[in-house]
Amino acid sequence: LFAGFNLRIRALNQRKKELEMQVAERTATIEADKQQIAAQSEELKALDRLKSQFFANISHELRTPLTLILGPLSYILDKPEKMEEEEIRKQLLVMQRNGKSLMQLIEEVLDLSKMDAQKLELHLEPTPVRLFFEQFHTLFTPQSRNQKIEFDIEFHLSSDDLTILLDRKKMEKVVNNFMSNALKFTPKGGNILLRVEELEDRLKLTVRDDGKGIPPSDLPHVFERYFQTKEIQSKSTSGGTGIGLA
């Protein structure tokens, strides 16, 4: 009887240990789940903040070209009889330039929707490399001179006639985004270099400037949608939508 009682006690103790282990495992699982839920919650809150900032920024970015379209338009409509033909032409050119900026911004937002739906397509066409990239030197030189910034372009190609397949519109957006950032953050008297280099089976495009640079803590996030650095120091370098690199 005593032996049977001891066996029963040992069995109960063994069962108790098993139950305690199961409780400990489940408790650990619950704690891990709680931590994961908390992390996901914080991530969602951060994403909401980024989206809110995005909508605030894009409203500003849309308002600027609209203002520069409506302003000259009102000016022309108010005094059409007093304006010379050349003056009207200048105002129309300002409107056209800002209309194109507005269209480019809208296309970037639409491209995000296409990417999400996996419907963004490349339209490749033969493109002379040197001729294509030289246009950006012509395009951004007036602005760089106005800001007292030295802007140069370098080519390292096997041939000046090198031609590749390229989606020109999308590559123009890429270069425009990089160059706009470089001009925004490069101080007066600084330098910007656009370098186009042919490697074995690809082109390497580099934009180098004398700006402050991206903080190391922000580098992992530069291609994230809506992300913008918190290191902006002045109103002149603020703005943007956070979708250019995304």
Side-chain angles (χ1 to χ4, degrees):
L1 179 63
F2 183 75
F5 182 75
N6 283 338
L7 287 174
R8 179 63 175 165
I9 292 295
R10 283 198 296 270
L12 289 173
N13 286 335
Q14 182 63 31
R15 180 58 179 162
K16 179 183 177 182
K17 290 180 181 179
E18 291 175 355
L19 290 172
E20 287 175 346
M21 290 179 60
Q22 291 178 8
V23 169
E25 289 175 357
R26 290 175 183 175
T27 300
T29 301
I30 292 171
E31 285 299 321
D33 289 343
K34 285 172 62 178
Q35 291 177 9
Q36 184 178 5
I37 291 170
Q40 290 174 341
S41 176
E42 287 301 316
E43 189 175 342
L44 288 172
K45 289 178 182 178
L47 183 58
D48 284 339
R49 287 193 295 269
L50 288 173
K51 284 184 177 179
S52 297
Q53 185 64 45
F54 164 73
F55 286 118
N57 288 343
I58 202 170
S59 297
H60 172 76
E61 294 294 318
L62 290 170
R63 188 185 298 116
T64 300
L66 277 174
T67 299
L68 295 174
I69 291 172
L70 295 174
L73 181 59
S74 298
Y75 183 70
I76 292 173
L77 291 174
D78 286 344
K79 302 176 181 178
E81 70 285 349
K82 297 181 180 180
M83 297 185 66
E84 298 290 336
E85 183 176 337
E86 182 60 25
E87 178 62 21
I88 293 176
R89 183 176 180 277
K90 287 181 180 178
Q91 297 296 332
L92 290 174
L93 286 173
V94 171
M95 294 164 61
Q96 182 188 50
R97 184 168 62 251
N98 285 281
K100 289 180 178 179
S101 297
L102 187 60
M103 179 61 71
Q104 181 179 350
L105 180 59
I106 292 171
E107 286 179 351
E108 284 187 0
V109 176
L110 292 175
D111 280 348
L112 286 181
S113 298
K114 291 179 182 178
M115 287 172 62
D116 289 340
Q118 297 184 342
K119 293 182 179 179
L120 189 64
E121 298 179 350
L122 293 177
H123 300 284
L124 303 176
E125 54 185 319
T127 303
V129 172
R130 190 179 188 94
L131 186 62
F132 176 80
F133 284 100
E134 279 180 342
Q135 68 173 316
F136 298 104
H137 190 256
T138 303
L139 178 64
F140 287 101
T141 291
Q143 184 178 349
S144 65
R145 286 177 178 171
N146 186 52
Q147 295 179 215
K148 303 295 189 295
I149 294 172
E150 185 70 27
F151 173 36
D152 293 313
I153 184 169
E154 288 183 0
F155 291 95
H156 299 270
L157 309 173
S158 59
S159 168
D160 285 342
D161 298 325
L162 179 67
T163 299
I164 63 172
L165 291 176
L166 190 68
D167 187 318
R168 297 183 186 181
K169 290 189 68 175
K170 289 183 176 59
M171 180 54 71
E172 285 173 359
K173 289 181 183 179
V174 171
V175 181
N176 283 334
N177 278 322
F178 278 117
M179 284 302 306
S180 296
N181 281 338
L183 285 166
K184 182 187 292 185
F185 292 100
T186 299
K188 182 179 178 180
N191 296 274
I192 297 175
L193 175 65
L194 174 61
R195 177 187 172 101
V196 184
E197 181 181 4
E198 180 185 359
L199 303 181
E200 289 185 5
D201 58 349
R202 67 193 68 185
L203 281 181
K204 180 179 179 181
L205 177 66
T206 306
V207 178
R208 181 177 299 168
D209 60 63
D210 294 337
K212 182 179 179 181
I214 301 172
S217 59
D218 287 342
L219 287 174
H221 308 288
V222 293
F223 294 106
E224 291 179 8
R225 192 175 299 184
Y226 313 127
F227 177 79
Q228 289 186 305
T229 181
K230 296 179 181 179
E231 300 295 325
I232 293 174
Q233 298 296 320
S234 66
K235 290 184 178 179
S236 64
T237 57
S238 63
T241 60
I243 62 176
L245 295 182

